[in-house]
Amino acid sequence: MSVAIVVHGGAGTISPERIGTGMAGCNEAAQIGMRILEQGGTALDAVEAAVRAMEDNPNFNAGTGSCLTSEGNIEMDAGIMEGHTLQVGALAGIELVKNPIALARLVLQSPHAMLIGRGASLFAEEQGIAFCQLEDLLTERQYNNWKRAQAQHTTEAEDLFEEKKHGTVGAVAVDSHGHLAAATSTGGIINKHPGRVGDSPLVGCGFYADANAAISCTGYGEDFTRLTIARRIADAVGTGKTAQEAADEVIAFLGTQTKETGGVIVVDKHGNTGQAWNSENMMYGSAQNK
Ligand code: GLY
């Protein structure tokens, strides 16, 4: 049985210097996940480990390196799903946690599907997760982005930046049993309203996995949410489309519905992969062992 993993580190108009660093970070994360798959580990373990690696990489807008809210806080969203069990774990507005995806995995293992804000923090405490300081998550780059956005008094801050990027990280994988999993994590959008939740922790929107396909998305969260982008791709694979055809079809559909942009990564139960985006570029990496 072939194993495969695809990861992404966001889509948008990304400068050549940052593309190089970002692609390197994606490849590193894909290799971390692949080592788990090659050793007979589960797709769920692989996507969690790959996303953790990107959360720890300050070049990505997730975990360390997350963007700031209009109040200067960091509120993160994450979701993880296992295809053959349809078990899901998600968090919205989680604060002061280094690896939201690891906490989302604990939610998946609990009776709950999604926890938010204060209740999510309480759950982290109950699970013995150590809290960090805001400074541990904050990078100089994101602080400078926030200062510029604040100076313009806008919540559509990304429009201010030459490098317009939808910062989200994600991974999809299939393991040696043909089981699928998907994970997505983000700091959201720069200068967002406190409490704003994007697509990343919403099942069927920013991530989805079933018995046929696993999907992770990056893009303007409000559109990916109302268009349930991830679930549309799973349904397309379920009706016989290849991973690549399904990715292309749904990104084309996105383009008919909104001027906002984004990208998706997909893997199917046979280890076929797909990726598509309608922004200028998307940072991604993959590894396959047929
Ligand atoms: N796609 C990430 C977000 O909009 O929050």
Side-chain angles (χ1 to χ4, degrees):
M1 188 84 205
S2 64
V3 296
I5 183 162
V6 189
V7 310
H8 71 74
T13 302
I14 307 161
S15 67
E17 311 83 73
R18 284 192 40 77
I19 278 273
T21 320
M23 291 296 255
C26 288
N27 284 322
E28 197 178 303
Q31 290 305 325
I32 288 170
M34 187 44 125
R35 280 198 284 281
I36 292 172
L37 296 170
E38 284 178 335
Q39 288 163 10
T42 65
L44 196 61
D45 283 341
V47 295
E48 182 192 345
V51 167
R52 270 183 87 120
M54 287 190 281
E55 287 177 339
D56 289 339
N57 184 330
N59 294 304
F60 296 119
N61 176 16
T64 304
S66 287
C67 63
L68 297 170
T69 68
S70 59
E71 289 180 339
N73 195 13
I74 289 178
E75 298 178 1
M76 298 167 286
D77 301 332
I80 188 165
M81 185 165 190
E82 185 175 56
H84 69 292
T85 59
L86 296 178
Q87 289 297 303
V88 64
L91 297 165
I94 185 73
E95 298 178 34
L96 306 180
V97 165
K98 287 283 267 183
N99 292 109
I101 203 66
L103 187 58
R105 171 78 182 266
L106 293 172
V107 175
L108 177 148
Q109 290 164 197
S110 82
H112 312 298
M114 185 175 199
L115 294 171
I116 62 162
R118 193 183 69 82
S121 297
L122 195 59
F123 178 76
E125 203 177 310
E126 288 159 8
Q127 297 290 321
I129 299 287
F131 289 97
C132 62
Q133 303 292 313
L134 187 70
E135 292 69 31
D136 298 324
L137 301 171
L138 185 61
T139 59
E140 193 177 341
R141 186 173 68 85
Q142 290 293 10
Y143 180 71
N144 289 338
N145 284 343
W146 178 73
K147 291 292 274 186
R148 288 168 64 192
Q150 288 274 300
Q152 299 287 331
H153 304 292
T154 177
T155 53
E156 292 297 324
E158 292 199 340
D159 284 338
L160 299 172
F161 299 97
E162 206 176 302
E163 181 182 86
K164 186 176 177 186
K165 176 171 172 289
H166 302 297
T168 305
V169 305
V172 294
V174 60
D175 63 29
S176 56
H177 299 286
H179 293 158
L180 293 147
T184 304
S185 181
T186 189
I189 56 174
I190 299 168
N191 213 28
K192 68 186 181 183
H193 194 286
R196 178 266 184 189
V197 176
D199 59 315
S200 302
L202 301 180
V203 63
C205 303
F207 71 109
Y208 195 71
D210 62 14
N212 300 309
I215 298 99
S216 175
C217 304
T218 173
Y220 186 64
E222 279 69 4
D223 286 333
F224 276 65
T225 296
R226 66 192 180 82
L227 298 171
T228 58
I229 292 294
R231 180 62 195 269
R232 276 178 197 274
I233 295 174
D235 287 350
V237 174
T239 59
K241 297 271 162 58
T242 67
Q244 188 59 55
E245 285 168 350
D248 287 338
E249 181 180 288
V250 175
I251 284 296
F253 167 75
L254 175 75
T256 67
Q257 300 297 309
T258 172
K259 65 177 178 44
E260 296 291 347
T261 60
V264 298
I265 53 172
V266 189
V267 66
D268 72 16
K269 64 182 173 189
H270 306 297
N272 302 308
T273 63
Q275 52 274 321
W277 60 95
N278 64 358
S279 47
E280 201 166 299
N281 33 41
M282 180 171 81
M283 298 188 287
Y284 68 98
S286 63
Q288 261 167 308
N289 191 344
K290 290 252 181 195

mmCIF file of all heavy atoms in Angstrom, residues 240-280:
data_model
loop_
_atom_site.group_PDB
_atom_site.id
_atom_site.type_symbol
_atom_site.label_atom_id
_atom_site.label_comp_id
_atom_site.label_asym_id
_atom_site.label_seq_id
_atom_site.Cartn_x
_atom_site.Cartn_y
_atom_site.Cartn_z
ATOM 1 N N GLY A 240 -15.736 9.960 -7.973
ATOM 2 C CA GLY A 240 -14.848 9.367 -8.969
ATOM 3 C C GLY A 240 -13.789 10.278 -9.552
ATOM 4 O O GLY A 240 -12.978 9.853 -10.366
ATOM 5 N N LYS A 241 -13.771 11.551 -9.139
ATOM 6 C CA LYS A 241 -12.728 12.454 -9.629
ATOM 7 C C LYS A 241 -11.389 12.088 -8.984
ATOM 8 O O LYS A 241 -11.357 11.607 -7.842
ATOM 9 C CB LYS A 241 -13.065 13.911 -9.264
ATOM 10 C CG LYS A 241 -14.351 14.424 -9.903
ATOM 11 C CD LYS A 241 -14.062 15.039 -11.263
ATOM 12 C CE LYS A 241 -15.269 15.180 -12.158
ATOM 13 N NZ LYS A 241 -16.348 15.965 -11.639
ATOM 14 N N THR A 242 -10.290 12.335 -9.695
ATOM 15 C CA THR A 242 -8.983 12.136 -9.063
ATOM 16 C C THR A 242 -8.744 13.283 -8.076
ATOM 17 O O THR A 242 -9.433 14.324 -8.132
ATOM 18 C CB THR A 242 -7.845 12.148 -10.096
ATOM 19 O OG1 THR A 242 -7.759 13.473 -10.648
ATOM 20 C CG2 THR A 242 -8.077 11.124 -11.194
ATOM 21 N N ALA A 243 -7.739 13.101 -7.224
ATOM 22 C CA ALA A 243 -7.406 14.157 -6.249
ATOM 23 C C ALA A 243 -7.106 15.465 -6.990
ATOM 24 O O ALA A 243 -7.551 16.542 -6.576
ATOM 25 C CB ALA A 243 -6.220 13.723 -5.400
ATOM 26 N N GLN A 244 -6.357 15.386 -8.081
ATOM 27 C CA GLN A 244 -5.995 16.603 -8.812
ATOM 28 C C GLN A 244 -7.216 17.215 -9.505
ATOM 29 O O GLN A 244 -7.413 18.432 -9.468
ATOM 30 C CB GLN A 244 -4.886 16.312 -9.826
ATOM 31 C CG GLN A 244 -4.330 17.559 -10.490
ATOM 32 C CD GLN A 244 -3.741 18.539 -9.474
ATOM 33 O OE1 GLN A 244 -2.865 18.175 -8.687
ATOM 34 N NE2 GLN A 244 -4.222 19.784 -9.464
ATOM 35 N N GLU A 245 -8.051 16.356 -10.122
ATOM 36 C CA GLU A 245 -9.250 16.890 -10.783
ATOM 37 C C GLU A 245 -10.162 17.588 -9.771
ATOM 38 O O GLU A 245 -10.716 18.658 -10.046
ATOM 39 C CB GLU A 245 -10.034 15.753 -11.450
ATOM 40 C CG GLU A 245 -9.423 15.233 -12.733
ATOM 41 C CD GLU A 245 -10.049 13.923 -13.218
ATOM 42 O OE1 GLU A 245 -10.844 13.292 -12.471
ATOM 43 O OE2 GLU A 245 -9.716 13.519 -14.340
ATOM 44 N N ALA A 246 -10.330 16.970 -8.611
ATOM 45 C CA ALA A 246 -11.212 17.546 -7.589
ATOM 46 C C ALA A 246 -10.655 18.880 -7.097
ATOM 47 O O ALA A 246 -11.405 19.855 -6.916
ATOM 48 C CB ALA A 246 -11.364 16.561 -6.424
ATOM 49 N N ALA A 247 -9.336 18.931 -6.885
ATOM 50 C CA ALA A 247 -8.709 20.187 -6.434
ATOM 51 C C ALA A 247 -8.910 21.279 -7.491
ATOM 52 O O ALA A 247 -9.332 22.399 -7.166
ATOM 53 C CB ALA A 247 -7.221 19.959 -6.167
ATOM 54 N N ASP A 248 -8.645 20.950 -8.755
ATOM 55 C CA ASP A 248 -8.781 21.939 -9.839
ATOM 56 C C ASP A 248 -10.233 22.418 -9.963
ATOM 57 O O ASP A 248 -10.497 23.614 -10.123
ATOM 58 C CB ASP A 248 -8.362 21.312 -11.181
ATOM 59 C CG ASP A 248 -6.855 21.134 -11.284
ATOM 60 O OD1 ASP A 248 -6.118 21.828 -10.566
ATOM 61 O OD2 ASP A 248 -6.422 20.265 -12.073
ATOM 62 N N GLU A 249 -11.154 21.462 -9.904
ATOM 63 C CA GLU A 249 -12.576 21.791 -10.093
ATOM 64 C C GLU A 249 -13.069 22.747 -9.003
ATOM 65 O O GLU A 249 -13.761 23.725 -9.295
ATOM 66 C CB GLU A 249 -13.373 20.479 -10.048
ATOM 67 C CG GLU A 249 -14.854 20.634 -10.251
ATOM 68 C CD GLU A 249 -15.546 19.271 -10.191
ATOM 69 O OE1 GLU A 249 -15.376 18.488 -11.142
ATOM 70 O OE2 GLU A 249 -16.234 19.004 -9.188
ATOM 71 N N VAL A 250 -12.695 22.468 -7.759
ATOM 72 C CA VAL A 250 -13.236 23.286 -6.663
ATOM 73 C C VAL A 250 -12.531 24.644 -6.591
ATOM 74 O O VAL A 250 -13.165 25.660 -6.280
ATOM 75 C CB VAL A 250 -13.194 22.515 -5.328
ATOM 76 C CG1 VAL A 250 -13.640 23.392 -4.171
ATOM 77 C CG2 VAL A 250 -14.115 21.284 -5.428
ATOM 78 N N ILE A 251 -11.253 24.701 -6.943
ATOM 79 C CA ILE A 251 -10.591 26.008 -6.998
ATOM 80 C C ILE A 251 -11.190 26.846 -8.139
ATOM 81 O O ILE A 251 -11.385 28.063 -7.999
ATOM 82 C CB ILE A 251 -9.059 25.852 -7.120
ATOM 83 C CG1 ILE A 251 -8.475 25.446 -5.758
ATOM 84 C CG2 ILE A 251 -8.401 27.133 -7.614
ATOM 85 C CD1 ILE A 251 -8.621 26.472 -4.640
ATOM 86 N N ALA A 252 -11.535 26.206 -9.248
ATOM 87 C CA ALA A 252 -12.201 26.940 -10.347
ATOM 88 C C ALA A 252 -13.555 27.459 -9.861
ATOM 89 O O ALA A 252 -13.940 28.604 -10.139
ATOM 90 C CB ALA A 252 -12.378 26.026 -11.560
ATOM 91 N N PHE A 253 -14.272 26.630 -9.117
ATOM 92 C CA PHE A 253 -15.564 27.051 -8.550
ATOM 93 C C PHE A 253 -15.371 28.250 -7.615
ATOM 94 O O PHE A 253 -16.126 29.230 -7.676
ATOM 95 C CB PHE A 253 -16.191 25.870 -7.798
ATOM 96 C CG PHE A 253 -17.346 26.247 -6.924
ATOM 97 C CD1 PHE A 253 -18.581 26.543 -7.474
ATOM 98 C CD2 PHE A 253 -17.194 26.319 -5.546
ATOM 99 C CE1 PHE A 253 -19.655 26.910 -6.660
ATOM 100 C CE2 PHE A 253 -18.258 26.678 -4.729
ATOM 101 C CZ PHE A 253 -19.488 26.970 -5.292
ATOM 102 N N LEU A 254 -14.340 28.188 -6.760
ATOM 103 C CA LEU A 254 -14.040 29.310 -5.857
ATOM 104 C C LEU A 254 -13.907 30.605 -6.663
ATOM 105 O O LEU A 254 -14.456 31.642 -6.278
ATOM 106 C CB LEU A 254 -12.741 29.024 -5.087
ATOM 107 C CG LEU A 254 -12.205 30.136 -4.180
ATOM 108 C CD1 LEU A 254 -13.041 30.234 -2.902
ATOM 109 C CD2 LEU A 254 -10.736 29.907 -3.817
ATOM 110 N N GLY A 255 -13.207 30.498 -7.792
ATOM 111 C CA GLY A 255 -12.984 31.670 -8.640
ATOM 112 C C GLY A 255 -14.262 32.238 -9.238
ATOM 113 O O GLY A 255 -14.309 33.420 -9.579
ATOM 114 N N THR A 256 -15.293 31.400 -9.366
ATOM 115 C CA THR A 256 -16.566 31.906 -9.904
ATOM 116 C C THR A 256 -17.408 32.579 -8.817
ATOM 117 O O THR A 256 -18.394 33.244 -9.124
ATOM 118 C CB THR A 256 -17.428 30.769 -10.515
ATOM 119 O OG1 THR A 256 -17.843 29.891 -9.450
ATOM 120 C CG2 THR A 256 -16.681 29.995 -11.582
ATOM 121 N N GLN A 257 -17.033 32.362 -7.547
ATOM 122 C CA GLN A 257 -17.864 32.828 -6.445
ATOM 123 C C GLN A 257 -17.321 34.062 -5.737
ATOM 124 O O GLN A 257 -18.042 34.727 -5.000
ATOM 125 C CB GLN A 257 -18.018 31.707 -5.398
ATOM 126 C CG GLN A 257 -18.666 30.454 -5.933
ATOM 127 C CD GLN A 257 -20.088 30.681 -6.390
ATOM 128 O OE1 GLN A 257 -20.912 31.244 -5.663
ATOM 129 N NE2 GLN A 257 -20.385 30.286 -7.616
ATOM 130 N N THR A 258 -16.025 34.297 -5.851
ATOM 131 C CA THR A 258 -15.403 35.373 -5.081
ATOM 132 C C THR A 258 -14.132 35.851 -5.765
ATOM 133 O O THR A 258 -13.493 35.086 -6.500
ATOM 134 C CB THR A 258 -15.057 34.895 -3.650
ATOM 135 O OG1 THR A 258 -14.295 35.908 -2.991
ATOM 136 C CG2 THR A 258 -14.250 33.600 -3.654
ATOM 137 N N LYS A 259 -13.760 37.091 -5.479
ATOM 138 C CA LYS A 259 -12.491 37.592 -6.014
ATOM 139 C C LYS A 259 -11.342 37.219 -5.084
ATOM 140 O O LYS A 259 -10.173 37.365 -5.433
ATOM 141 C CB LYS A 259 -12.549 39.097 -6.226
ATOM 142 C CG LYS A 259 -12.705 39.914 -4.956
ATOM 143 C CD LYS A 259 -12.679 41.399 -5.284
ATOM 144 C CE LYS A 259 -12.868 42.291 -4.071
ATOM 145 N NZ LYS A 259 -12.129 41.961 -2.868
ATOM 146 N N GLU A 260 -11.675 36.740 -3.892
ATOM 147 C CA GLU A 260 -10.620 36.325 -2.964
ATOM 148 C C GLU A 260 -10.011 35.013 -3.455
ATOM 149 O O GLU A 260 -10.635 34.265 -4.200
ATOM 150 C CB GLU A 260 -11.182 36.160 -1.547
ATOM 151 C CG GLU A 260 -11.692 37.453 -0.933
ATOM 152 C CD GLU A 260 -10.583 38.450 -0.619
ATOM 153 O OE1 GLU A 260 -9.402 38.064 -0.647
ATOM 154 O OE2 GLU A 260 -10.906 39.623 -0.366
ATOM 155 N N THR A 261 -8.814 34.730 -2.971
ATOM 156 C CA THR A 261 -8.080 33.586 -3.523
ATOM 157 C C THR A 261 -7.657 32.607 -2.422
ATOM 158 O O THR A 261 -7.833 32.865 -1.232
ATOM 159 C CB THR A 261 -6.824 34.069 -4.249
ATOM 160 O OG1 THR A 261 -6.009 34.772 -3.293
ATOM 161 C CG2 THR A 261 -7.158 34.971 -5.421
ATOM 162 N N GLY A 262 -7.085 31.501 -2.852
ATOM 163 C CA GLY A 262 -6.572 30.527 -1.894
ATOM 164 C C GLY A 262 -6.107 29.274 -2.594
ATOM 165 O O GLY A 262 -6.001 29.230 -3.826
ATOM 166 N N GLY A 263 -5.823 28.257 -1.803
ATOM 167 C CA GLY A 263 -5.327 27.005 -2.363
ATOM 168 C C GLY A 263 -5.741 25.813 -1.517
ATOM 169 O O GLY A 263 -6.212 25.969 -0.381
ATOM 170 N N VAL A 264 -5.565 24.626 -2.084
ATOM 171 C CA VAL A 264 -5.951 23.383 -1.395
ATOM 172 C C VAL A 264 -4.919 22.293 -1.681
ATOM 173 O O VAL A 264 -4.271 22.300 -2.728
ATOM 174 C CB VAL A 264 -7.345 22.888 -1.857
ATOM 175 C CG1 VAL A 264 -8.423 23.904 -1.516
ATOM 176 C CG2 VAL A 264 -7.376 22.595 -3.358
ATOM 177 N N ILE A 265 -4.797 21.367 -0.743
ATOM 178 C CA ILE A 265 -4.020 20.145 -0.964
ATOM 179 C C ILE A 265 -4.950 18.959 -0.693
ATOM 180 O O ILE A 265 -5.828 19.033 0.177
ATOM 181 C CB ILE A 265 -2.758 20.070 -0.083
ATOM 182 C CG1 ILE A 265 -3.089 20.265 1.409
ATOM 183 C CG2 ILE A 265 -1.724 21.088 -0.554
ATOM 184 C CD1 ILE A 265 -1.916 20.020 2.344
ATOM 185 N N VAL A 266 -4.739 17.880 -1.460
ATOM 186 C CA VAL A 266 -5.633 16.721 -1.392
ATOM 187 C C VAL A 266 -4.811 15.448 -1.507
ATOM 188 O O VAL A 266 -3.836 15.405 -2.263
ATOM 189 C CB VAL A 266 -6.634 16.721 -2.584
ATOM 190 C CG1 VAL A 266 -7.701 15.647 -2.401
ATOM 191 C CG2 VAL A 266 -7.268 18.079 -2.788
ATOM 192 N N VAL A 267 -5.203 14.401 -0.788
ATOM 193 C CA VAL A 267 -4.668 13.062 -1.048
ATOM 194 C C VAL A 267 -5.847 12.087 -1.013
ATOM 195 O O VAL A 267 -6.807 12.296 -0.267
ATOM 196 C CB VAL A 267 -3.574 12.674 -0.021
ATOM 197 C CG1 VAL A 267 -4.113 12.532 1.391
ATOM 198 C CG2 VAL A 267 -2.845 11.395 -0.443
ATOM 199 N N ASP A 268 -5.794 11.058 -1.892
ATOM 200 C CA ASP A 268 -6.874 10.072 -1.850
ATOM 201 C C ASP A 268 -6.391 8.767 -1.220
ATOM 202 O O ASP A 268 -5.210 8.627 -0.888
ATOM 203 C CB ASP A 268 -7.504 9.881 -3.235
ATOM 204 C CG ASP A 268 -6.609 9.130 -4.215
ATOM 205 O OD1 ASP A 268 -5.633 8.484 -3.769
ATOM 206 O OD2 ASP A 268 -6.884 9.189 -5.419
ATOM 207 N N LYS A 269 -7.293 7.815 -1.091
ATOM 208 C CA LYS A 269 -6.973 6.578 -0.360
ATOM 209 C C LYS A 269 -5.937 5.713 -1.083
ATOM 210 O O LYS A 269 -5.363 4.804 -0.495
ATOM 211 C CB LYS A 269 -8.248 5.777 -0.088
ATOM 212 C CG LYS A 269 -8.950 5.288 -1.328
ATOM 213 C CD LYS A 269 -10.227 4.560 -0.968
ATOM 214 C CE LYS A 269 -11.012 4.226 -2.232
ATOM 215 N NZ LYS A 269 -12.338 3.719 -1.969
ATOM 216 N N HIS A 270 -5.701 5.988 -2.389
ATOM 217 C CA HIS A 270 -4.699 5.233 -3.145
ATOM 218 C C HIS A 270 -3.325 5.906 -3.118
ATOM 219 O O HIS A 270 -2.379 5.392 -3.709
ATOM 220 C CB HIS A 270 -5.149 5.091 -4.607
ATOM 221 C CG HIS A 270 -6.516 4.496 -4.744
ATOM 222 N ND1 HIS A 270 -6.813 3.214 -4.327
ATOM 223 C CD2 HIS A 270 -7.672 5.024 -5.212
ATOM 224 C CE1 HIS A 270 -8.098 2.976 -4.548
ATOM 225 N NE2 HIS A 270 -8.640 4.055 -5.077
ATOM 226 N N GLY A 271 -3.243 7.063 -2.485
ATOM 227 C CA GLY A 271 -1.970 7.778 -2.422
ATOM 228 C C GLY A 271 -1.775 8.768 -3.550
ATOM 229 O O GLY A 271 -0.693 9.332 -3.707
ATOM 230 N N ASN A 272 -2.821 8.999 -4.345
ATOM 231 C CA ASN A 272 -2.731 10.036 -5.387
ATOM 232 C C ASN A 272 -2.914 11.405 -4.730
ATOM 233 O O ASN A 272 -3.777 11.554 -3.858
ATOM 234 C CB ASN A 272 -3.818 9.833 -6.447
ATOM 235 C CG ASN A 272 -3.712 8.466 -7.081
ATOM 236 O OD1 ASN A 272 -2.644 8.088 -7.552
ATOM 237 N ND2 ASN A 272 -4.805 7.713 -7.055
ATOM 238 N N THR A 273 -2.108 12.372 -5.169
ATOM 239 C CA THR A 273 -2.170 13.685 -4.536
ATOM 240 C C THR A 273 -2.607 14.748 -5.534
ATOM 241 O O THR A 273 -2.515 14.552 -6.750
ATOM 242 C CB THR A 273 -0.790 14.085 -3.957
ATOM 243 O OG1 THR A 273 0.146 14.195 -5.035
ATOM 244 C CG2 THR A 273 -0.300 13.055 -2.956
ATOM 245 N N GLY A 274 -3.061 15.859 -5.006
ATOM 246 C CA GLY A 274 -3.437 16.989 -5.844
ATOM 247 C C GLY A 274 -3.223 18.278 -5.085
ATOM 248 O O GLY A 274 -3.290 18.289 -3.844
ATOM 249 N N GLN A 275 -2.922 19.331 -5.797
ATOM 250 C CA GLN A 275 -2.851 20.652 -5.183
ATOM 251 C C GLN A 275 -3.256 21.674 -6.231
ATOM 252 O O GLN A 275 -2.953 21.497 -7.416
ATOM 253 C CB GLN A 275 -1.474 20.979 -4.598
ATOM 254 C CG GLN A 275 -0.282 20.805 -5.513
ATOM 255 C CD GLN A 275 0.250 19.384 -5.495
ATOM 256 O OE1 GLN A 275 0.299 18.749 -4.449
ATOM 257 N NE2 GLN A 275 0.622 18.884 -6.647
ATOM 258 N N ALA A 276 -3.959 22.700 -5.797
ATOM 259 C CA ALA A 276 -4.400 23.743 -6.731
ATOM 260 C C ALA A 276 -4.544 25.046 -5.965
ATOM 261 O O ALA A 276 -4.838 25.032 -4.756
ATOM 262 C CB ALA A 276 -5.738 23.356 -7.366
ATOM 263 N N TRP A 277 -4.319 26.148 -6.647
ATOM 264 C CA TRP A 277 -4.478 27.464 -6.044
ATOM 265 C C TRP A 277 -4.795 28.459 -7.141
ATOM 266 O O TRP A 277 -4.449 28.233 -8.298
ATOM 267 C CB TRP A 277 -3.223 27.879 -5.257
ATOM 268 C CG TRP A 277 -1.973 27.968 -6.079
ATOM 269 C CD1 TRP A 277 -1.450 29.074 -6.673
ATOM 270 C CD2 TRP A 277 -1.076 26.892 -6.403
ATOM 271 N NE1 TRP A 277 -0.293 28.750 -7.340
ATOM 272 C CE2 TRP A 277 -0.037 27.429 -7.189
ATOM 273 C CE3 TRP A 277 -1.044 25.528 -6.094
ATOM 274 C CZ2 TRP A 277 1.010 26.657 -7.683
ATOM 275 C CZ3 TRP A 277 -0.004 24.750 -6.591
ATOM 276 C CH2 TRP A 277 1.011 25.315 -7.369
ATOM 277 N N ASN A 278 -5.490 29.568 -6.781
ATOM 278 C CA ASN A 278 -5.750 30.615 -7.769
ATOM 279 C C ASN A 278 -5.130 31.937 -7.345
ATOM 280 O O ASN A 278 -5.389 32.971 -7.957
ATOM 281 C CB ASN A 278 -7.253 30.765 -8.063
ATOM 282 C CG ASN A 278 -8.036 31.220 -6.854
ATOM 283 O OD1 ASN A 278 -7.473 31.395 -5.773
ATOM 284 N ND2 ASN A 278 -9.329 31.417 -7.014
ATOM 285 N N SER A 279 -4.294 31.889 -6.314
ATOM 286 C CA SER A 279 -3.461 33.029 -5.939
ATOM 287 C C SER A 279 -2.193 32.947 -6.787
ATOM 288 O O SER A 279 -2.022 31.991 -7.553
ATOM 289 C CB SER A 279 -3.137 32.962 -4.449
ATOM 290 O OG SER A 279 -2.711 31.647 -4.126
ATOM 291 N N GLU A 280 -1.293 33.920 -6.594
ATOM 292 C CA GLU A 280 -0.077 33.888 -7.419
ATOM 293 C C GLU A 280 0.742 32.628 -7.145
ATOM 294 O O GLU A 280 1.250 31.995 -8.063
ATOM 295 C CB GLU A 280 0.757 35.143 -7.143
ATOM 296 C CG GLU A 280 1.714 35.453 -8.252
ATOM 297 C CD GLU A 280 2.263 36.861 -8.129
ATOM 298 O OE1 GLU A 280 1.478 37.829 -8.170
ATOM 299 O OE2 GLU A 280 3.481 36.972 -7.952
#
